[in-house]
Amino acid sequence: KQWYQRRVAITAGICSKDSSDLTTLLSSVNCRECNIHCNASYLYEKFGENVCDECRAKDKDQFKLMSKTDAKNEFVLKDCDLDLREPLLKFSTAPNPHNQRAGFMKLYLLGQVYERACEVHGGDEGIDKAILQRSKNREVLAQQKMNKKLKELRKNSKPRQMKKAHVHEYGKEVYDEDNDEYSHCCKSCHYTETYEKL
Protein backbone atom coordinates (compact mmCIF):
# COMPACT_ATOMS: atom_id res chain seq x y z
CA LYS A 1 0.00 0.00 0.00
CA GLN A 2 2.94 2.33 0.67
CA TRP A 3 4.19 2.05 -2.92
CA TYR A 4 0.71 2.90 -4.18
CA GLN A 5 0.50 6.05 -2.01
CA ARG A 6 3.96 7.08 -3.19
CA ARG A 7 2.95 6.45 -6.83
CA VAL A 8 -0.18 8.60 -6.41
CA ALA A 9 1.89 11.37 -4.82
CA ILE A 10 4.47 11.30 -7.64
CA THR A 11 1.72 11.30 -10.29
CA ALA A 12 0.07 14.25 -8.57
CA GLY A 13 3.43 16.06 -8.54
CA ILE A 14 3.93 15.43 -12.27
CA CYS A 15 0.38 16.54 -13.10
CA SER A 16 0.64 19.73 -11.03
CA LYS A 17 3.93 20.67 -12.76
CA ASP A 18 5.26 21.68 -9.36
CA SER A 19 8.89 20.58 -9.72
CA SER A 20 9.83 21.32 -6.10
CA ASP A 21 7.30 18.74 -4.77
CA LEU A 22 8.39 16.18 -7.36
CA THR A 23 12.08 16.69 -6.62
CA THR A 24 11.42 16.25 -2.90
CA LEU A 25 9.49 13.03 -3.51
CA LEU A 26 12.12 11.56 -5.84
CA SER A 27 15.09 12.52 -3.73
CA SER A 28 13.60 10.98 -0.59
CA VAL A 29 13.41 7.43 -1.99
CA ASN A 30 15.40 4.98 0.14
CA CYS A 31 15.64 1.18 -0.14
CA ARG A 32 13.21 -0.50 2.22
CA GLU A 33 15.73 -3.32 2.84
CA CYS A 34 19.01 -1.47 3.47
CA ASN A 35 17.85 2.19 3.67
CA ILE A 36 20.23 3.37 0.92
CA HIS A 37 19.16 5.97 -1.67
CA CYS A 38 17.64 4.02 -4.62
CA ASN A 39 15.62 6.19 -7.02
CA ALA A 40 17.61 4.87 -10.02
CA SER A 41 17.08 1.16 -9.28
CA TYR A 42 15.38 -1.19 -11.75
CA LEU A 43 12.52 -2.11 -9.40
CA TYR A 44 11.83 1.51 -8.54
CA GLU A 45 11.79 2.68 -12.16
CA LYS A 46 9.69 -0.23 -13.51
CA PHE A 47 7.46 -1.18 -10.56
CA GLY A 48 7.64 1.68 -8.04
CA GLU A 49 9.17 -0.61 -5.40
CA ASN A 50 11.69 1.04 -3.06
CA VAL A 51 14.37 -1.64 -3.44
CA CYS A 52 17.94 -1.04 -4.61
CA ASP A 53 19.62 -3.25 -7.21
CA GLU A 54 22.00 -4.79 -4.64
CA CYS A 55 19.15 -5.97 -2.41
CA ARG A 56 17.32 -7.32 -5.48
CA ALA A 57 20.42 -9.30 -6.48
CA LYS A 58 20.77 -10.73 -2.94
CA ASP A 59 17.19 -12.00 -2.70
CA LYS A 60 15.97 -12.86 -6.20
CA ASP A 61 13.12 -15.06 -4.94
CA GLN A 62 11.47 -12.20 -3.07
CA PHE A 63 11.64 -9.84 -6.08
CA LYS A 64 10.90 -12.42 -8.74
CA LEU A 65 9.21 -11.43 -12.01
CA MET A 66 6.45 -13.58 -13.47
CA SER A 67 4.71 -13.58 -16.82
CA LYS A 68 1.06 -12.63 -17.15
CA THR A 69 0.09 -16.22 -17.99
CA ASP A 70 1.86 -17.57 -14.90
CA ALA A 71 0.24 -14.89 -12.74
CA LYS A 72 -3.21 -15.82 -14.03
CA ASN A 73 -2.62 -19.57 -13.57
CA GLU A 74 -0.93 -19.46 -10.18
CA PHE A 75 -3.24 -16.94 -8.50
CA VAL A 76 -6.52 -17.60 -10.43
CA LEU A 77 -6.69 -14.05 -11.78
CA LYS A 78 -8.34 -12.69 -14.91
CA ASP A 79 -6.98 -10.20 -17.44
CA CYS A 80 -9.17 -7.48 -15.97
CA ASP A 81 -7.66 -8.08 -12.51
CA LEU A 82 -4.18 -7.40 -13.86
CA ASP A 83 -4.85 -4.74 -16.50
CA LEU A 84 -7.98 -2.80 -15.51
CA ARG A 85 -8.45 -2.96 -11.72
CA GLU A 86 -7.27 0.15 -9.88
CA PRO A 87 -4.48 0.73 -8.97
CA LEU A 88 -3.06 -0.53 -12.26
CA LEU A 89 -0.18 -2.94 -11.82
CA LYS A 90 3.09 -1.85 -13.35
CA PHE A 91 4.84 -4.27 -15.68
CA SER A 92 7.91 -4.55 -17.85
CA THR A 93 8.08 -6.22 -21.23
CA ALA A 94 10.48 -8.82 -22.59
CA PRO A 95 10.67 -10.89 -25.78
CA ASN A 96 8.87 -14.21 -25.57
CA PRO A 97 11.53 -16.96 -25.20
CA HIS A 98 9.14 -19.69 -26.38
CA ASN A 99 8.13 -18.04 -29.64
CA GLN A 100 10.33 -15.37 -31.19
CA ARG A 101 7.60 -14.25 -33.62
CA ALA A 102 5.06 -13.73 -30.84
CA GLY A 103 4.62 -10.38 -29.17
CA PHE A 104 6.37 -9.24 -26.04
CA MET A 105 5.54 -10.81 -22.67
CA LYS A 106 4.28 -8.72 -19.79
CA LEU A 107 6.29 -9.35 -16.63
CA TYR A 108 4.79 -8.48 -13.25
CA LEU A 109 6.43 -8.35 -9.83
CA LEU A 110 5.44 -11.43 -7.80
CA GLY A 111 4.78 -9.47 -4.61
CA GLN A 112 2.42 -7.05 -6.35
CA VAL A 113 0.57 -9.89 -8.08
CA TYR A 114 0.19 -11.67 -4.73
CA GLU A 115 -1.25 -8.48 -3.16
CA ARG A 116 -3.70 -8.17 -6.05
CA ALA A 117 -4.75 -11.83 -5.66
CA CYS A 118 -5.35 -11.28 -1.93
CA GLU A 119 -7.42 -8.20 -2.79
CA VAL A 120 -9.49 -10.10 -5.38
CA HIS A 121 -9.98 -13.36 -3.45
CA GLY A 122 -9.92 -12.04 0.11
CA GLY A 123 -6.58 -13.36 1.39
CA ASP A 124 -4.69 -16.66 1.35
CA GLU A 125 -7.77 -18.77 2.17
CA GLY A 126 -9.67 -17.16 -0.70
CA ILE A 127 -6.82 -17.92 -3.11
CA ASP A 128 -6.76 -21.56 -1.95
CA LYS A 129 -10.54 -21.85 -2.38
CA ALA A 130 -10.32 -20.35 -5.88
CA ILE A 131 -7.59 -22.84 -6.84
CA LEU A 132 -9.69 -25.74 -5.50
CA GLN A 133 -12.80 -24.51 -7.32
CA ARG A 134 -10.85 -24.18 -10.58
CA SER A 135 -9.51 -27.73 -10.27
CA LYS A 136 -13.04 -29.05 -9.56
CA ASN A 137 -14.39 -27.18 -12.59
CA ARG A 138 -11.62 -28.66 -14.74
CA GLU A 139 -12.44 -32.17 -13.52
CA VAL A 140 -16.14 -31.68 -14.28
CA LEU A 141 -15.38 -30.38 -17.76
CA ALA A 142 -12.97 -33.26 -18.41
CA GLN A 143 -15.62 -35.78 -17.28
CA GLN A 144 -18.26 -34.16 -19.51
CA LYS A 145 -15.87 -34.26 -22.46
CA MET A 146 -15.08 -37.92 -21.80
CA ASN A 147 -18.78 -38.81 -21.52
CA LYS A 148 -19.48 -37.06 -24.81
CA LYS A 149 -16.67 -38.98 -26.55
CA LEU A 150 -17.89 -42.28 -25.10
CA LYS A 151 -21.43 -41.56 -26.23
CA GLU A 152 -20.23 -40.83 -29.78
CA LEU A 153 -18.06 -43.95 -29.75
CA ARG A 154 -20.98 -46.13 -28.63
CA LYS A 155 -23.22 -44.56 -31.22
CA ASN A 156 -20.71 -45.16 -34.03
CA SER A 157 -19.76 -48.71 -33.00
CA LYS A 158 -23.28 -50.02 -32.30
CA PRO A 159 -24.22 -52.58 -34.96
CA ARG A 160 -27.06 -51.38 -37.07
CA GLN A 161 -30.09 -53.42 -36.36
CA MET A 162 -31.38 -55.17 -39.42
CA LYS A 163 -35.08 -54.94 -40.03
CA LYS A 164 -36.78 -58.25 -39.75
CA ALA A 165 -37.85 -59.53 -43.12
CA HIS A 166 -41.60 -59.60 -43.46
CA VAL A 167 -43.01 -63.09 -43.67
CA HIS A 168 -46.16 -63.20 -45.76
CA GLU A 169 -49.19 -64.92 -44.36
CA TYR A 170 -51.32 -65.81 -47.33
CA GLY A 171 -55.03 -66.28 -47.20
CA LYS A 172 -57.25 -68.47 -49.41
CA GLU A 173 -56.05 -69.52 -52.79
CA VAL A 174 -58.07 -68.07 -55.72
CA TYR A 175 -58.20 -69.59 -59.22
CA ASP A 176 -58.44 -67.31 -62.29
CA GLU A 177 -59.98 -69.36 -65.14
CA ASP A 178 -59.34 -66.77 -67.90
CA ASN A 179 -55.55 -66.78 -67.39
CA ASP A 180 -55.37 -70.29 -65.93
CA GLU A 181 -53.49 -68.91 -62.87
CA TYR A 182 -53.77 -69.22 -59.14
CA SER A 183 -53.18 -66.32 -56.72
CA HIS A 184 -53.23 -65.64 -53.03
CA CYS A 185 -52.98 -62.38 -51.03
CA CYS A 186 -51.00 -61.59 -47.85
CA LYS A 187 -53.22 -60.79 -44.90
CA SER A 188 -51.00 -58.00 -43.48
CA CYS A 189 -49.39 -56.23 -46.47
CA HIS A 190 -51.88 -57.17 -49.22
CA TYR A 191 -49.17 -58.45 -51.53
CA THR A 192 -50.65 -60.67 -54.24
CA GLU A 193 -48.67 -63.58 -55.61
CA THR A 194 -49.75 -65.30 -58.83
CA TYR A 195 -48.59 -68.76 -59.93
CA GLU A 196 -49.47 -71.73 -62.11
CA LYS A 197 -49.96 -75.28 -60.97
CA LEU A 198 -48.57 -78.10 -63.07
Side-chain angles (χ1 to χ4, degrees):
K1 300 298 178 192
Q2 182 184 8
W3 62 270
Y4 174 66
Q5 292 167 350
R6 184 168 217 69
R7 186 171 15 153
V8 169
I10 291 172
T11 307
I14 291 171
C15 293
S16 69
K17 307 275 190 212
D18 188 358
S19 60
S20 61
D21 288 345
L22 186 59
T23 309
T24 310
L25 283 167
L26 290 175
S27 62
S28 66
V29 176
N30 289 334
C31 176
R32 71 177 185 210
E33 302 292 321
C34 64
N35 210 20
I36 295 175
H37 184 68
C38 70
N39 65 342
S41 73
Y42 174 78
L43 288 178
Y44 184 73
E45 288 178 5
K46 296 289 184 182
F47 301 100
E49 286 289 330
N50 301 344
V51 178
C52 65
D53 290 332
E54 290 85 23
C55 292
R56 177 180 177 231
K58 286 178 194 172
D59 193 2
K60 289 189 176 183
D61 290 338
Q62 184 179 357
F63 306 109
K64 183 180 174 184
L65 299 178
M66 65 187 327
S67 69
K68 184 176 185 178
T69 304
D70 291 340
K72 287 165 50 178
N73 290 337
E74 190 171 328
F75 293 106
V76 195
L77 294 172
K78 301 175 189 167
D79 285 329
C80 61
D81 295 328
L82 296 172
D83 295 335
L84 301 176
R85 188 182 288 258
E86 291 290 333
L88 297 177
L89 289 182
K90 289 188 173 185
F91 61 89
S92 66
T93 56
N96 191 332
H98 305 292
N99 187 355
Q100 297 298 327
R101 288 177 273 167
F104 285 90
M105 294 189 312
K106 286 185 177 182
L107 299 174
Y108 294 91
L109 193 62
L110 176 64
Q112 291 179 357
V113 173
Y114 174 73
E115 285 179 12
R116 178 57 51 89
C118 287
E119 180 185 326
V120 169
H121 298 298
D124 288 334
E125 291 177 10
I127 294 172
D128 292 340
K129 285 180 183 176
I131 291 170
L132 271 172
Q133 185 61 43
R134 180 182 61 189
S135 65
K136 286 179 184 176
N137 291 346
R138 284 182 178 170
E139 287 174 10
V140 167
L141 287 174
Q143 187 63 42
Q144 288 175 348
K145 191 175 182 181
M146 179 64 76
N147 289 345
K148 185 177 179 183
K149 284 184 179 180
L150 282 172
K151 187 176 180 181
E152 287 177 9
L153 188 63
R154 285 185 191 128
K155 181 180 175 183
N156 293 337
S157 64
K158 189 184 286 186
R160 293 197 175 126
Q161 294 178 349
M162 300 292 285
K163 280 189 174 181
K164 272 188 170 180
H166 174 68
V167 178
H168 297 294
E169 294 181 35
Y170 295 108
K172 269 198 310 185
E173 186 177 77
V174 178
Y175 176 68
D176 183 10
E177 292 179 17
D178 297 333
N179 297 329
D180 192 29
E181 292 178 334
Y182 291 91
S183 66
H184 50 212
C185 185
C186 177
K187 293 177 183 177
S188 57
C189 70
H190 306 293
Y191 168 72
T192 303
E193 184 179 48
T194 57
Y195 54 92
E196 295 178 358
K197 284 189 178 178
L198 296 177

